[in-house]
Amino acid sequence: MDPRISYFQTFITAAKTRSFSKAAKKLNVTQGTVSNHISSLEQYFDAQLFLRTPDGVELTLEGEILYNKAEIILNHICDTKQSIRILHEHPEGTIRMAASTTPGEHIIPGLIREYSKSYPDVDFDIQITDSEKCFKLLENGEVDVISVGSLCSKKYDSVVIGMDRLVLIVPPNHPFASKKYVQLIDIFKEDYIDREEGSGTRDVVINGLKEMGYSYEDLNVVMRLGSNSSIITAVSEGYGISIISEIPAKKAEEAGLVKIVPIKDFDLTRYLYLIKGHKTKNPSAVKSFWDFIKQ
């Protein structure tokens, strides 16, 4: 069995006090424990480390060699432990993150801004992609944390960072724009602009349709786009209608680009999550960010 760090500490104390009994008293252990530690080291190095004398113990030549090296090793361990402790208290470096469009563009920036006030030495490398790709990056260890609007996997630790409603947007001059609300069945008659496969928004819409007794095929999909902003542009230019996150939809409505129309019989609300990988590249920084989000 490989020796423990405590064995070397016992060895050095015994060498300095030249007594197993004095070493035991100083370390607050039994003399038998000291003898066992020294015996384990002698077996490991296959050498006698001490000479027993009437006055106590003295180092052998082999013991002298170990004594000089052991002090260096323990000093390095102590310095390393101190450096790690400091890093835990003052993390630095980069957190690798992937985020789907809605949390990545509208939630995460604000959280990072607040976090950076307390941890200015930590920066973020963020990829904006769809939810499915986020989970693949996390699974492959290419990112430390992800932020998505749907839980494709429950084997990771997750924390809710917000809620998001999905809403219908139409062009400002569309017949729906003047209505107080529409029915879900009305949407099936219109050209529909969808998110790309792998999108959390798309998955929520598909699952919502199933719960209502409909299917994805009931939508008249004319194009698929990879972001909320591209869908807003397409809708504002009259290419169709779409269901997207309420957060960017409200901003687009305020800018006069689209009109939000309630769907009376189709309410979609989802949680937005931060999810942590099992093996992070910068554990101290990731832990500090995770603890900050959870508080």
Side-chain angles (χ1 to χ4, degrees):
M1 180 183 295
D2 292 344
R4 300 178 180 177
I5 294 174
S6 60
Y7 295 0
F8 293 101
Q9 294 171 329
T10 299
F11 169 76
I12 289 175
T13 303
K16 288 181 176 179
T17 60
R18 296 187 177 185
S19 167
F20 285 8
S21 60
K22 291 180 180 178
K25 187 175 183 180
K26 191 168 185 178
L27 295 170
N28 197 28
V29 297
T30 65
Q31 186 170 335
T33 298
V34 173
S35 297
N36 288 335
H37 288 184
I38 300 303
S39 178
S40 295
L41 289 174
E42 289 180 330
Q43 290 178 29
Y44 180 77
F45 290 106
D46 191 23
Q48 183 179 351
L49 302 176
F50 287 101
L51 289 174
R52 277 66 173 178
T53 71
D55 297 326
V57 293
E58 294 181 0
L59 288 173
T60 62
L61 290 177
E62 293 88 344
E64 292 281 359
I65 293 173
L66 179 58
Y67 180 81
N68 293 330
K69 298 294 184 182
E71 282 210 310
I72 294 173
I73 291 170
L74 290 181
N75 285 337
H76 281 317
I77 291 174
C78 185
D79 290 344
T80 301
K81 188 175 181 179
Q82 176 70 2
S83 297
I84 291 174
R85 185 187 66 79
I86 292 173
L87 185 60
H88 284 172
E89 295 175 355
H90 305 284
E92 58 184 39
T94 300
I95 295 176
R96 304 169 303 162
M97 178 184 292
S100 58
T101 306
T102 299
E105 293 181 351
H106 302 283
I107 303 295
I108 292 298
L111 293 177
I112 290 176
R113 183 173 61 250
E114 291 302 311
Y115 167 81
S116 296
K117 293 178 181 178
S118 300
Y119 302 96
D121 295 326
V122 178
D123 56 24
F124 290 78
D125 182 359
I126 304 177
Q127 302 181 50
I128 303 296
T129 184
D130 61 68
S131 296
E132 184 177 337
K133 181 68 178 299
C134 285
F135 274 99
K136 287 181 179 178
L137 291 170
L138 191 68
E139 184 74 27
N140 294 335
E142 297 178 54
V143 296
D144 304 308
V145 293
I146 61 174
S147 183
V148 293
S150 61
L151 284 178
C152 300
S153 173
K154 295 183 179 180
K155 67 179 182 179
Y156 298 100
D157 291 335
S158 63
V159 59
V160 174
I161 59 173
M163 292 186 67
D164 179 37
R165 288 182 64 240
L166 301 185
V167 297
L168 175 68
I169 59 171
V170 304
N173 59 352
H174 192 278
F176 287 177
S178 59
K179 294 188 175 183
K180 291 184 178 180
Y181 61 83
V182 296
Q183 302 281 350
L184 178 58
I185 196 171
D186 296 329
I187 297 174
F188 300 149
K189 305 171 187 177
E190 303 292 323
D191 289 343
Y192 186 82
I193 302 171
D194 195 18
R195 283 292 301 270
E196 79 286 5
E197 290 188 16
S199 161
T201 298
R202 183 176 185 270
D203 290 342
V204 172
V205 171
I206 291 174
N207 291 332
L209 289 173
K210 288 180 180 178
E211 291 178 4
M212 295 292 294
Y214 298 102
S215 72
Y216 175 73
E217 285 69 27
D218 290 316
L219 294 171
N220 182 31
V221 178
V222 295
M223 67 176 74
R224 296 182 180 87
L225 299 174
S227 67
N228 289 324
S229 58
S230 59
I231 287 179
I232 288 170
T233 298
V235 170
S236 69
E237 294 179 357
Y239 291 102
I241 65 175
S242 187
I243 295 174
I244 67 169
S245 164
E246 185 177 39
I247 301 171
K250 280 187 173 181
K251 294 179 181 179
E253 185 177 54
E254 291 170 359
L257 298 175
V258 299
K259 176 72 175 177
I260 295 175
V261 183
I263 309 173
K264 187 176 183 180
D265 55 345
F266 196 50
D267 182 30
L268 296 175
T269 302
R270 62 175 178 170
Y271 291 107
L272 302 176
Y273 302 92
L274 187 71
I275 300 170
K276 180 175 61 174
H278 296 310
K279 295 182 180 179
T280 58
K281 192 172 183 180
N282 190 341
S284 298
V286 171
K287 182 180 184 303
S288 67
F289 184 60
W290 189 260
D291 291 345
F292 173 82
I293 296 299
K294 290 182 68 176
Q295 68 184 3

